[in-house]
Amino acid sequence: QDLFSSSSHSYYNHPLFFVSTAIHYVLPQSMMRVISLDSDLFFKTDIKQLFAIFDNFKATTIFGLAREQQPVYRHILHMFRDKNPGTKVGEPPPDGITGFNSGVILINLRNMRESRIYNLLLHNNVVKEIADKYTFHGHLGDQDFYSLLNLEYPALFHILPCSWNRQRCKWWRDHGYAQVFDSYYNCSEPIHVYHGNCGTKLPNE
């Protein structure tokens, strides 16, 4: 938790925001798949179509998440980027390693239980080594955890289309990243799920 929240009193330091990382220890063995959803979502499409995306998972895939649609990780990883010019880390889609948003998470519990690599990564010292490599200190809970792991273990992840987690927050556009903002924020697909993150209004409000 210390690596993925700004302080011990921060909003995202609450254990609630880390449940998904170890949910295979909590749910019964009979459960094989689960979808984790934030409460600030508005579905325009039947959720069974989202569940069908599990069929695209490979044997190594544990999580399905959409990209973060703001330059959050461009900012968080700026020290690594400064030392490694030309890196794809923190760059926008389609080729950049953008980082994830955890408002919508598909989790294959069977793969999660069986993955030796993933369960090793739950040990703090292993995660800290990766965080130190990338000079990473986040503030957004589990999505920081997944965004960090993706830098080293992309095989654990399936990237959801932006239409299944269309984030409406534009905070970073007005805080130093206006010139590159649209390259992260653009989503030209028909939208299935709107996400009213950072207090933005949903289409039904």
Side-chain angles (χ1 to χ4, degrees), residues 1 5 20 30 36 39 80 96 126 129 204:
Q1 288 173 253
S5 60
S20 68
S30 58
S36 171
S39 60
F80 178 83
V126 179
E129 288 176 6
N204 62 325

Side-chain angles (χ1 to χ4, degrees), residues 39-51:
S39 60
D40 54 351
L41 300 176
F42 176 67
F43 274 76
K44 295 188 67 179
T45 303
D46 194 323
I47 197 171
K48 70 180 181 182
Q49 293 188 33
L50 176 61
F51 195 84

